[in-house]
């Protein structure tokens, strides 16, 4: 790296150069062409390599150079988009909070001048990328940083007890990542003092965000949870890539996830009849079941499962009574739950004795996505599971069609013990 131009001669001036040799000129031209082509083939030209330093910043700005040679393209995610210009990107979150108008952010390659933009973009938040420090309001951001090799920029998490991944837990224990919103209350003074490059939300508004913006903290929305498809959620790795200038790595990671997901889904599609199941649990007497148009509904369909509300194309959860669920799904041979504290059927019965009437309880086929929990009770299913739908799908196929994956090692689900 450095600021030298390709071909620049710093050892002599034009006045004392010897006469040019035509043969040498042709040879040098051929070599230079080969170097330029090799640079283009790798996605980064010789000029770009010479004017971008190790941090990813421009050291000698050229308005004609494209400083984003690797560009993300979106195939599944619907709630964000990225538009590339030569020295900046426009990152837009289409619904930053439920029902809200789109928000756009201008991501400027560090070292480039701020662009003069018309209309609403003239007042849009500007962020120099790649960012160096990040505060995260959701554990779903954390595996993205790990997969991109950028976990080192993480300096704050909202609630450390929700974290389950070792890479981030190690940084929390080492004191390099701090907790800024214990008990769901953002410590505004702490965040302002830390001055992170960005604070990324969990897709909901917070009264503290106004004062933080007023104090100069850039608050960016992230709403991957509003994606209804598993691959759409996983593709938010490209959102994080835009902030960290990791587009090439993001494409590699996502393409592998997409390929593996499709392979597992194709295997399940050829498994014959779909397996009936019961889904969800009760909270204060209300049984919550994911609708067929939701993220979970899509996973179950792709895994070769079936449940009575799969044709309801809403994207959220349905609120039902025990009697309704028992009448429609009580005889299902498998019951899928996400209960961090349930380790045995006795735990389920302690929560509500009526669960004992389910066929899956009697046969011992109750599976909970609680295999990996952090020391504070954070569930890896809600952390890494969101970004790795291929692993979740493999777990589901192994549960619903055990003959298809007889040696499967579960990532998130485990069967409740009989006692």
């Amino acid at each position: 790296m450095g600021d030298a131009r390709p071909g620049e001669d710093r050892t002599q001036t034009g006045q004392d150069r010897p006469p040019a040799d035509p043969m040498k000129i042709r040879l040098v031209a051929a070599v230079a062409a080969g170097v330029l082509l090799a640079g283009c083939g790798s996605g980064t030209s010789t000029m770009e390599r010479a004017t971008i330093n190790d941090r990813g910043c421009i050291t000698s700005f050229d308005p004609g150079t494209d400083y984003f040679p690797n560009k993300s393209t979106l195939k599944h995610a619907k709630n964000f988009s990225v538009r590339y210009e030569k020295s900046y990107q426009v990152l837009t979150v289409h619904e930053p909070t439920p029902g809200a108008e789109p928000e756009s952010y201008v991501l400027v390659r560090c070292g480039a001048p701020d662009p003069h933009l018309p209309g609403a973009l003239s007042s849009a938040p500007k962020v120099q990328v790649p960012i160096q420090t990040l505060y995260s309001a959701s554990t779903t951001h954390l595996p993205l940083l790990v997969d991109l090799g950028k976990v080192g920029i993480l300096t704050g998490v909202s609630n450390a007890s929700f974290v389950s991944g070792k890479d981030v837990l190690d940084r929390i224990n080492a004191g390099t990542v701090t907790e800024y919103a214990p008990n769901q209350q953002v410590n505004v003074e702490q965040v302002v003092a830390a001055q992170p490059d960005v604070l990324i939300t969990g897709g909901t508004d917070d009264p503290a965000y106004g004062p933080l913006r007023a104090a100069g903290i850039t608050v960016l929305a992230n709403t991957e949870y509003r994606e209804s498809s598993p691959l759409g959620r996983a593709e938010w790795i490209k959102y994080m890539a835009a902030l960290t200038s990791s587009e090439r790595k993001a494409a590699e990671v996502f393409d592998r996830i997409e390929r593996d997901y499709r392979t597992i889904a194709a295997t399940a599609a050829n498994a014959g009849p779909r397996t009936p199941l019961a889904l969800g649990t009760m909270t204060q007497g209300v049984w919550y079941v994911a609708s067929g148009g939701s993220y979970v509904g899509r996973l179950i369909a792709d895994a070769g499962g079936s449940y009575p509300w799969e044709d309801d194309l809403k994207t959220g959860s349905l609120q039902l009574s025990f009697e309704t669920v028992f009448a429609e799904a009580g005889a299902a041979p498998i019951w899928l739950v996400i209960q961090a504290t349930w380790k045995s059927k006795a735990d389920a019965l302690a929560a509500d004795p009526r669960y004992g009437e389910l066929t899956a309880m009697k046969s011992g086929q109750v599976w909970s996505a609680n295999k990996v929990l952090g020391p504070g009770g954070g569930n890896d299913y809600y952390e890494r599971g969101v970004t790795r739908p291929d692993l979740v799908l493999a777990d589901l196929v192994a549960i619903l069609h055990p003959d298809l994956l007889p040696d499967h090692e579960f990532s998130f689900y485990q069967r409740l013990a009989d006692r």
Side-chain angles (χ1 to χ4, degrees), residues 165-373:
K166 182 180 184 303
D167 297 271
V168 176
L169 285 172
D170 286 347
R171 291 180 59 78
I172 293 172
N173 293 333
T176 53
V177 172
T178 187
E179 180 184 55
Y180 70 88
N183 303 316
Q184 309 304 303
Q185 297 293 320
V186 175
N187 186 327
V188 173
E189 292 77 12
Q190 177 186 342
V191 178
V192 172
Q195 287 290 301
D197 289 345
V198 297
L199 185 152
I200 302 180
T201 78
T204 57
D205 203 2
D206 190 291
Y209 292 156
L212 286 176
R213 292 187 177 100
I217 302 299
T218 302
V219 179
L220 307 182
N222 181 303
T223 51
E224 49 74 22
Y225 75 93
R226 298 193 68 78
E227 302 285 345
S228 60
S229 74
L231 289 175
R233 285 191 170 191
E235 201 168 23
W236 278 71
I237 193 171
K238 297 176 182 178
Y239 170 104
M240 194 65 75
L243 293 168
T244 58
S245 300
S246 306
E247 281 88 348
R248 179 180 291 183
K249 180 65 174 178
E252 293 173 358
V253 172
F254 180 76
D255 288 350
R256 184 187 69 245
I257 292 171
E258 181 186 37
R259 181 177 62 251
D260 292 349
Y261 188 98
R262 292 189 183 280
T263 298
I264 298 166
T267 300
N270 295 322
R274 295 191 296 160
T275 302
L277 54 85
L279 184 65
T281 53
M282 287 187 290
T283 300
Q284 296 180 343
V286 177
W287 196 310
Y288 290 88
V289 177
S291 57
S294 68
Y295 163 80
V296 173
R298 179 65 179 273
L299 278 166
I300 291 171
D302 288 345
S306 175
Y307 68 110
W309 298 276
E310 62 190 20
D311 293 329
D312 189 317
L313 299 184
K314 297 185 183 70
T315 57
S317 295
L318 305 173
Q319 299 181 27
L320 307 172
S321 66
F322 174 86
E323 291 74 19
T324 297
V325 174
F326 182 75
E328 298 289 338
I334 295 172
W335 180 23
L336 298 179
V337 304
I338 307 171
Q339 288 288 345
T341 59
W342 290 9
K343 301 299 182 182
S344 68
K345 291 195 297 183
D347 294 328
L349 292 172
D352 195 306
R354 291 177 294 175
Y355 287 142
E357 300 176 33
L358 301 175
T359 295
M361 280 284 283
K362 297 174 181 177
S363 64
Q365 286 296 313
V366 184
W367 293 77
S368 181
N370 64 355
K371 182 179 179 181
V372 180
L373 302 177

